[in-house]
Structure formats: structure tokens, C-alpha cells
Amino acid sequence: MKVGIIGAGRVGSACALAAVVRGSAREIVLVDRTRKRAKAVATDLRYGSPLCPKISVVDGDYEDLADAALVMITAGINEKAGGATDRSDPKGRLRLLDTNAEIYRDIVPQIVRAAPRAVLLVVTDPPDPLADVARTSAGHDRVLSTGTFLDSLRFRVHLAEHFDVDANQVEAQVIGEHGVSQVFLWSSARIAGVPIGKLIEQRGETLDSVCKQIEADVRYANITIIEGNDASQFGIGIVSARIASFLTSVFFECAALASRFEPIFLLSAIPSSRWSLPLWPPVCVPPQYARPKPMQMAMATLIKPTTPFGAPTLAMLRLAQPLFSRERTSQNRRQDFYSSLPSSSQSRDCRARERKQRGSVTFLSYSDDVRDAA
């Protein structure tokens, strides 16, 4: 499989390094506006490639992306250069949108001309609205972003550190925007199958104190990294290489990636299996994750600055209400996800906290969610 990487800066180089070490492709093509830099990065990686799975790393131009199965787009300004490093700024990464959207409108058509069948992976911040810009510019739906995959991993790591366990034993998801309006699914978080609420109760801690600290650490992790190293790069590089591996994986791995979610008509991160792309049927795990009210809040955050498609999206939400009602009926009004959780005071606290978070979270029928959003 051939993978292209647009941008050989810090993030692009980290994506390339992770893909080489992981063996995510048989050929990697690095494209950068400064060909000399792309050549230098490719050469450096080739020197270490004999110790990795067989892979070819070369520099090139857009025409060298022909027959690529996946193209990662990492080009654009980062948080530090774009002034998105203020923890009190409610816009966060969205401050980078206008500048990076213009860059994408120039880059994406060139990618599509060279590799019309490639899947496009948006890595640049803010990835969710930029994925929609890329989809519009590409003229097809084979577009996704890294979504909240990295945020979910950060959530798992901080939970593991708090409870002194291996992060591999933690199951936890962050959904919605890869930014300040992201939603933490505390009520479904588990360690070795045990609900987080129960563990907090057993340790004699309060849910509010644990949530407040961990949410802050995860939500502003990028700023913490930038303050010490100027750029957040290695985590997203590893995530991007893992996503590249999904293309050839025989397993249906699940991750919170942002792809076009047809019932909502908007790119936003929900837990998905091999993405909600035309390549495979959309599979959400579990389906109820797509329905919380904070997803409407996260979507509203993404919609506001991204005109002209913001207004049509809200109109589509209103028009989709009958569709959601029928879907709910056909599912025989299945139980809410929350009803299956263990009954304990901490579980109730988890649910109560999610209802307050970013405009309240409740798993309702689609028709109720759309009515509230409209």
C-alpha cells in the first residue's frame, strides 16, 4: 500500500516516522512545499528503515501520489504559530481554521487530481471542520479526520496514571470536537471491566475532583506539550500511523474518528469501526454514542465559524427529525445506554456530570436531540 504525507514539518515527520516503525505501508511519499526538506526527512528515515518492516520512503511532488491508498494532510499552521495556546480561549484550535482552510482549498484539488481514489486523512488542526472543507474540495466522501482518537488515548493515559494501572486496561472515550468542547464519556469508562465510578467510590474520592483534574489535563494537553516542546507531534504521529494500518487490517478496530455521519450530515468524532465511509458500512459502537446532547453542543461549536455550510447543516438537522423518529420506532424504542449501567451513587453522579458538561448530556431519541438543537 502506498501512503502519501503532505507536509514534512514536525507533525508530518512524526507521522512518517511512526508509519515506518509500524510498517503501515510498503511505500511512503513525502510532499512538502520545500522539496529540500521533504528529501532530507525521507533520507533520514531511510537510514533507519533496515531495522523496520520492509518499506520504501521517498520524497516527491503531487503527481508522485498516483495510486496512493491514503494521503495524510499535515500541512498548515500549528497552535503556537496561530496563537491558539490560551487555555481561557473558548475557540481553542478553531482560531486556526480560516488560515488552514485556505491552505486546504489549494492542496486538496492537487491531491485528488493525482490520486482520485485515495482516502484523505486530515491531521491538521482543527481536524473536524477541516475534514469538511477537504470533503467539499475533493468532491467525494472518502475523507476523515483523526477526530478524538488522540484525546481518547490521553483520557486513558491520565485515568491509568490516577488509578496506577496499565493504560491498556482502560476503556474510555472522548467524542465530539478535537478541541475545548470535547465530551468525556465518564459513565462508560472502565478499568478491566469495572466502572470508573465504582473505583472512585471505593477509593473514597469524589467524582467532581477526579473529573475536574483529568478533564483539564486532557483538554489542554496540547498546550502543556507546546509550552515545553513548541509542538505536539509524536502522539498524533502514532495515531495517524495506526489509522493507516486500519486500511489493511484484518480486524475491525474501533476508534473515535471523524467521518461523515449521514443522520447528522456533519463530520464529528464518534466511536466507529473502520470509519463511516462509503468503503464500508457505517458501524458505531455502541449506536447510542451518536445521540448525546453534548454532541449537539460540539457540533454547534464546529458549525459557527465554518460558514457557508453551517446554516445548511442546521437546516438539515431540522429536516431530519422525521427520519430520526422512524429510526427510533423501528428499533422498538430500545433502552437508553445508561439504563444498562451498574446502579450506584457514583454512576448516577457520572450521568449527572455529563448532563451539565457543555450544555448537558442525555441519551435521548434522535427526534428529541434534533428538537433541542433546532
Side-chain angles (χ1 to χ4, degrees), residues 238-357:
I238 295 169
V239 162
S240 299
R242 180 62 174 265
I243 295 171
S245 298
F246 285 0
L247 273 176
T248 54
S249 173
V250 297
F251 302 105
F252 283 84
E253 302 184 52
C254 298
L257 308 180
S259 54
R260 187 167 173 80
F261 181 44
E262 285 298 336
I264 303 297
F265 300 94
L266 181 66
L267 285 140
S268 191
I270 55 174
S272 303
S273 175
R274 277 203 174 180
W275 329 319
S276 300
L277 288 174
L279 295 172
W280 299 281
V283 180
C284 306
V285 187
Q288 291 89 337
Y289 276 175
R291 305 181 183 182
K293 276 189 182 177
M295 286 296 291
Q296 302 291 348
M297 300 300 294
M299 289 174 184
T301 301
L302 293 172
I303 289 169
K304 287 175 184 176
T306 51
T307 54
F309 68 81
T313 302
L314 287 177
M316 290 175 184
L317 283 171
R318 295 190 183 97
L319 291 172
Q321 181 174 337
L323 168 65
F324 295 150
S325 298
R326 288 196 300 273
E327 191 273 345
R328 178 71 171 184
T329 301
S330 67
Q331 297 277 343
N332 198 25
R333 297 186 178 276
R334 61 193 170 207
Q335 283 187 316
D336 280 338
F337 173 65
Y338 280 140
S339 64
S340 65
L341 295 175
S343 177
S344 71
S345 60
Q346 289 291 355
S347 294
R348 287 191 294 272
D349 288 344
C350 282
R351 299 196 289 273
R353 180 176 182 81
E354 287 180 3
R355 291 190 186 98
K356 293 178 183 178
Q357 186 184 38

Side-chain angles (χ1 to χ4, degrees), residues 96-328:
L96 313 176
L97 179 58
D98 291 340
T99 302
N100 286 339
E102 287 303 313
I103 294 172
Y104 267 55
R105 292 187 186 103
D106 176 58
I107 288 175
V108 172
Q110 298 183 69
I111 297 172
V112 173
R113 282 195 293 270
R117 297 178 62 84
V119 173
L120 305 183
L121 174 62
V122 174
V123 183
T124 313
D125 282 329
D128 309 308
L130 281 178
D132 212 274
V133 172
R135 182 182 58 80
T136 303
S137 299
H140 62 69
D141 288 339
R142 296 188 306 278
V143 179
L144 66 156
S145 83
T146 50
T148 53
F149 193 172
L150 179 57
D151 302 283
S152 297
L153 296 177
R154 288 170 174 170
F155 190 19
R156 290 171 58 185
V157 167
H158 283 284
L159 283 172
E161 290 176 352
H162 181 82
F163 291 100
D164 196 23
V165 297
D166 191 327
N168 285 325
Q169 302 300 313
V170 180
E171 300 173 15
Q173 292 282 356
V174 176
I175 61 175
E177 181 206 4
H178 175 58
V180 294
S181 70
Q182 61 191 216
V183 179
F184 295 78
L185 298 182
W186 282 97
S187 58
S188 61
R190 302 280 193 277
I191 295 180
V194 181
I196 291 293
K198 251 184 189 177
L199 295 175
I200 292 175
E201 189 175 26
Q202 290 172 0
R203 289 163 61 102
E205 299 173 314
T206 63
L207 179 68
D208 280 345
S209 63
V210 174
C211 291
K212 184 177 180 180
Q213 182 59 53
I214 291 179
E215 286 180 12
D217 289 341
V218 174
R219 185 172 279 118
Y220 304 113
N222 63 314
I223 298 177
T224 302
I225 295 168
I226 289 167
E227 288 171 346
N229 195 37
D230 291 337
S232 172
Q233 54 192 314
F234 300 115
I236 192 61
I238 295 169
V239 162
S240 299
R242 180 62 174 265
I243 295 171
S245 298
F246 285 0
L247 273 176
T248 54
S249 173
V250 297
F251 302 105
F252 283 84
E253 302 184 52
C254 298
L257 308 180
S259 54
R260 187 167 173 80
F261 181 44
E262 285 298 336
I264 303 297
F265 300 94
L266 181 66
L267 285 140
S268 191
I270 55 174
S272 303
S273 175
R274 277 203 174 180
W275 329 319
S276 300
L277 288 174
L279 295 172
W280 299 281
V283 180
C284 306
V285 187
Q288 291 89 337
Y289 276 175
R291 305 181 183 182
K293 276 189 182 177
M295 286 296 291
Q296 302 291 348
M297 300 300 294
M299 289 174 184
T301 301
L302 293 172
I303 289 169
K304 287 175 184 176
T306 51
T307 54
F309 68 81
T313 302
L314 287 177
M316 290 175 184
L317 283 171
R318 295 190 183 97
L319 291 172
Q321 181 174 337
L323 168 65
F324 295 150
S325 298
R326 288 196 300 273
E327 191 273 345
R328 178 71 171 184

